[in-house]
Amino acid sequence: MKKNLLLIVIAAMLTLSACGNGSKDEKSTDPGAKSNEKSEVNLYTSRHYDVDDELYKSFEQQTGIKVNIIKDEADVLIERIKREGSATKADLLLTADVGRLYRAKEEGLLQPVSSDKLANQIPSKFRDTDDMWVGLTKRARILVYNKDKVKPEELSTYEALTEDKWKGRVLVRSSESVYNQSLLASFIEINGEEKAKEWAQGIVDNMARNPEGGDRDQAKGIAAGSGDIAIMNSYYFGQMLNSVDNEEVKIAESLGVFFPNQETTGAHVNISGAGVVKDSKNAENALKLLEFLTGDEAQVKFASANYEFPVNPGVEPSELLKSWGDFKEQDIPLSVLGENNAKAIITLNEVGWK
Ligand code: FE
């Protein structure tokens, strides 16, 4: 009996140690874990979408370069890179809006980066003139509306939303949102400061309520009867249509989509983008990540999983994006969204856009 028990104990110990070895073996086959211990890229990002993390994992598997991620608001990340100075660990700064990349460039925090691959994958319109940043995805600021109360024929331009007929019906988030700052910055460029201010005043006068919540909350506000038309980014509408939350799907399906200014200046388009940090210690890896994020695999994923438009003209938009049809975009260099950001903020404050 005793001998049998001893044998069982020994057998159990052997099994345990075998399991231990097994898991160690598994770890060592993890790509890049051992042989490329120093091969890494440190990413500071303000994007908050699940698809990004999936793409970084795929990049790690394909290149063996580990992606270390720090997420925060863009302004916080910019301040952090400034504070860290030449000791910064940041290699790549990624933001959801070009205005913040412009700011990082102006602060002298970025370095020029270029390659044939980047030039082939991103049209010059979506690259900084000094190669300090490149665009990764496009998003349009569109209108969504209550199909029972608004006919598409009644819609035309952002400007038309300031007409009296829309009094008390327009839903839009606060002026703290860089998306609204960039929208106004584009109008300052296209229509001049005075007209841009009149537009902002007209929107404030027609607001259905004081701005609250994010873009998706404006669409939800329509369903709740707070207003009839909302200004929001295109991908949020795509996210709602494909949400795991049935209520969001129902709301989105009850709304119409409209790309404004098609007969005039084109719809406002912004980009998510990234720039290599001036004091980067892994600039080559940062460039590789940029090339990956603007390549086919990532561009398809941004479109199919996050409903953003590809910047790479060789990649087709997803079915949903295609179903919205081709649309005309504003034809301005995107850096002006950054250049006019300060003016836009002052104007938004002056007209009382909360
Ligand atoms: Fe966003």
Side-chain angles (χ1 to χ4, degrees):
M1 273 300 259
K2 260 192 181 171
K3 213 176 181 183
N4 277 349
L5 190 64
L6 192 64
L7 279 174
I8 289 169
V9 170
I10 289 169
M13 281 172 71
L14 281 172
T15 312
L16 272 176
S17 75
C19 285
N21 281 338
S23 68
K24 238 185 235 163
D25 282 347
E26 257 168 51
K27 261 189 196 144
S28 67
T29 57
D30 183 12
K34 269 236 159 103
S35 54
N36 290 306
E37 232 153 32
K38 283 205 178 108
S39 197
E40 59 178 12
V41 59
N42 297 299
L43 176 67
Y44 285 18
T45 178
S46 70
R47 277 176 55 103
H48 50 89
Y49 317 112
D50 298 339
V51 63
D52 293 28
D53 296 326
E54 289 167 32
L55 286 170
Y56 302 144
K57 275 202 193 100
S58 179
F59 174 77
E60 286 180 343
Q61 275 161 9
Q62 290 173 38
T63 62
I65 299 167
K66 174 105 178 60
V67 184
N68 304 313
I69 302 159
I70 289 176
K71 277 187 201 173
D72 214 324
E73 282 170 30
D75 285 336
V76 175
L77 295 173
I78 288 170
E79 281 311 307
R80 181 167 169 171
I81 295 170
K82 249 163 89 177
R83 200 176 57 239
E84 290 170 342
S86 60
T88 189
K89 283 219 160 66
D91 297 309
L92 195 62
L93 173 68
L94 207 159
T95 73
D97 169 279
V98 70
R100 294 299 188 267
L101 290 172
Y102 174 85
R103 190 172 292 174
K105 176 189 173 183
E106 288 300 289
E107 300 266 13
L109 302 179
L110 302 178
Q111 60 169 295
V113 61
S114 60
S115 73
D116 287 348
K117 214 173 189 181
L118 278 187
N120 285 334
Q121 290 180 165
I122 319 171
S124 60
K125 183 187 172 185
F126 300 118
R127 280 184 274 129
D128 176 47
T129 43
D130 301 315
D131 289 324
M132 295 295 189
W133 49 257
V134 298
L136 302 176
T137 69
K138 271 194 299 188
R139 47 271 299 281
R141 205 135 178 79
I142 58 170
L143 307 180
V144 299
Y145 58 92
N146 182 331
K147 284 194 264 195
D148 294 332
K149 295 195 175 152
V150 178
K151 291 192 186 73
E153 307 88 85
E154 293 178 87
L155 300 172
S156 57
T157 60
Y158 300 105
E159 288 84 350
L161 292 181
T162 64
E163 290 166 6
D164 280 348
K165 68 177 282 194
W166 298 106
K167 207 166 239 359
R169 302 170 74 189
V170 178
L171 290 157
V172 62
R173 74 196 289 181
S174 100
S175 63
E176 275 170 28
S177 159
V178 73
Y179 302 142
N180 285 335
Q181 295 167 11
S182 287
L183 180 63
L184 190 62
S186 75
F187 295 161
I188 291 174
E189 184 65 19
I190 293 168
N191 304 324
E193 274 179 65
E194 212 172 299
K195 281 252 167 69
K197 187 173 177 179
E198 276 172 29
W199 178 81
Q201 185 67 65
I203 292 295
V204 170
D205 293 345
N206 284 350
M207 279 182 188
R209 63 180 183 198
N210 277 335
E212 56 182 75
D215 277 3
R216 270 173 293 220
D217 296 306
Q218 310 315 313
K220 289 176 187 172
I222 297 177
S226 303
D228 296 332
I229 188 153
I231 301 173
M232 73 187 296
N233 279 356
S234 45
Y235 59 90
Y236 285 122
F237 190 67
Q239 287 175 4
M240 288 180 75
L241 280 172
N242 292 281
S243 175
V244 289
D245 175 351
N246 276 338
E247 201 48 39
E248 279 200 348
V249 178
K250 246 201 253 165
I251 289 171
E253 283 176 345
S254 76
L255 304 175
V257 190
F258 188 81
F259 285 72
N261 294 57
Q262 293 304 290
E263 310 290 314
T264 59
T265 55
H268 171 67
V269 164
N270 201 333
I271 53 163
S272 271
V276 178
V277 175
K278 184 168 143 269
D279 290 305
S280 163
K281 319 293 183 288
N282 302 293
E284 265 180 44
N285 291 346
L287 172 60
K288 277 185 197 153
L289 183 54
L290 283 179
E291 290 176 342
F292 173 80
L293 292 173
T294 51
D296 286 5
E297 178 189 339
Q299 291 287 297
V300 166
K301 205 85 196 266
F302 282 135
S304 63
N306 208 42
Y307 319 104
E308 296 175 273
F309 295 97
V311 287
N312 184 331
V315 174
E316 288 218 359
S318 62
E319 287 307 314
L320 174 66
L321 299 185
K322 277 200 265 182
S323 77
W324 293 342
D326 275 341
F327 68 97
K328 181 177 164 187
E329 303 170 8
Q330 285 178 341
D331 188 22
I332 51 172
L334 287 170
S335 54
V336 304
L337 305 183
E339 280 165 41
N340 292 340
N341 181 266
K343 274 185 202 158
I345 291 174
I346 291 168
T347 305
L348 288 161
N349 281 330
E350 279 174 351
V351 300
W353 188 320
K354 296 212 169 98

